[in-house]
Amino acid sequence: MAETEAELRAQMVAVARRMNASGINQGTSGNLSARLPEGFLITPTSLPYERMEPTDLVALDLDGQPLPGASGALRRPSSEWRLHADVLRQRPEVQAVVHCHSIRATALACHSRCIPSFHYMVAVAGGPDIRCAPYALFGTPELSRLALAALHGRLACLLAHHGQVALGRSLDQALRIAIELETLAAMYLEACRLGEPPLLGDAEIERVLRQMGALLYGG
Ligand code: 13P
């Protein structure tokens, strides 16, 4: 757990690089944020992660205004700052947000398909499915509104014709969930080659959620 803003900045750059190294993102698409006491830190727009330094991260309040006295360079924040801000405002338990365009999750999202309970690991996102928010232009309040509805009671969702969003109590957890979502999307696409797979029922997903809670699974 980062204790200071400087530690959080260093952690965010490391997690951003891990995101690209994991294969769930490429180039400068995708962005990350982490909560600060007065707002949040977010990756700057269009800066390759391998060139990104901790001082390049942008500190904003939840209305998107630069935090007074924030350390760091005066980079422009990610074009998705509003999505991050709106998630952090509406979900007080969330400390970090990862957004990326992972290939298989995005492929499903391009068909506006949710990921149903074909596999028990769907429950890592908090319920019996991972929803897909309808399409809206990136960076808009409409995208935030639709994403927040799809994220209700969940730690991840798909964004139609766009990508995915994952939330966590830490940057590490948000990245783990984003990677898990991509893995589930790959498994689901593969399973669908033999036809739509049978699903686990809501009662079984409830048992899975209890088991995950008891084992502190994915924490
Ligand atoms: P930024 O470089 O502005 O963060 O945008 C990338 C992206 O993924 C937009 O959805």
Side-chain angles (χ1 to χ4, degrees):
M1 212 31 138
E3 297 209 338
T4 64
E5 184 179 321
E7 282 171 13
L8 191 59
R9 283 174 179 269
Q11 205 178 79
M12 196 184 292
V13 171
V15 172
R17 290 184 182 151
R18 269 171 45 211
M19 175 173 77
N20 274 26
S22 75
I24 65 163
N25 195 60
Q26 57 76 43
T28 63
S29 66
N31 28 74
L32 295 85
S33 66
R35 194 184 289 280
L36 291 171
E38 307 296 329
F40 63 109
L41 277 178
I42 189 161
T43 46
T45 190
S46 311
L47 183 68
Y49 296 118
E50 62 277 10
R51 290 201 349 238
M52 196 175 287
E53 296 297 332
T55 50
D56 289 319
L57 300 172
V58 185
L60 300 176
D61 67 20
L62 293 179
D63 295 319
Q65 297 305 309
L67 280 179
S71 53
L74 293 175
R75 294 262 181 203
R76 273 192 306 136
S78 166
S79 55
E80 296 289 16
W81 69 264
R82 188 189 298 276
L83 174 65
H84 292 257
D86 290 342
V87 169
L88 292 168
R89 181 187 286 112
Q90 186 155 326
R91 297 284 296 265
E93 82 282 15
V94 167
Q95 296 298 322
V97 180
V98 168
H99 164 59
C100 66
H101 301 172
S102 59
I103 303 282
R104 291 164 191 87
T106 303
L108 286 172
C110 289
H111 286 276
S112 295
R113 295 276 293 264
C114 75
I115 303 181
S117 56
F118 77 105
H119 189 287
Y120 80 89
M121 283 295 281
V122 164
V124 293
D129 59 3
I130 297 170
R131 305 183 192 103
C132 182
Y135 175 77
L137 182 65
F138 73 98
T140 59
E142 184 67 353
L143 180 69
S144 293
R145 188 181 68 75
L146 294 168
L148 277 163
L151 285 167
H152 183 73
R154 301 283 187 277
L155 291 173
C157 75
L158 302 173
L159 304 174
H161 305 284
H162 187 160
Q164 59 142 305
V165 187
L167 321 180
R169 289 183 302 277
S170 65
L171 281 162
D172 269 344
Q173 191 196 18
L175 179 64
R176 274 205 305 279
I177 290 175
I179 293 171
E180 191 58 48
L181 199 168
E182 178 64 5
T183 303
L184 285 163
M187 290 191 290
Y188 184 50
L189 285 167
E190 195 64 22
C192 283
R193 281 152 52 105
L194 300 176
E196 190 65 36
L199 302 182
L200 296 169
D202 285 354
E204 184 56 22
I205 292 293
E206 278 303 320
R207 292 180 67 213
V208 171
L209 285 166
R210 280 199 298 277
Q211 180 85 330
M212 286 177 168
L215 300 176
L216 298 176
Y217 193 85

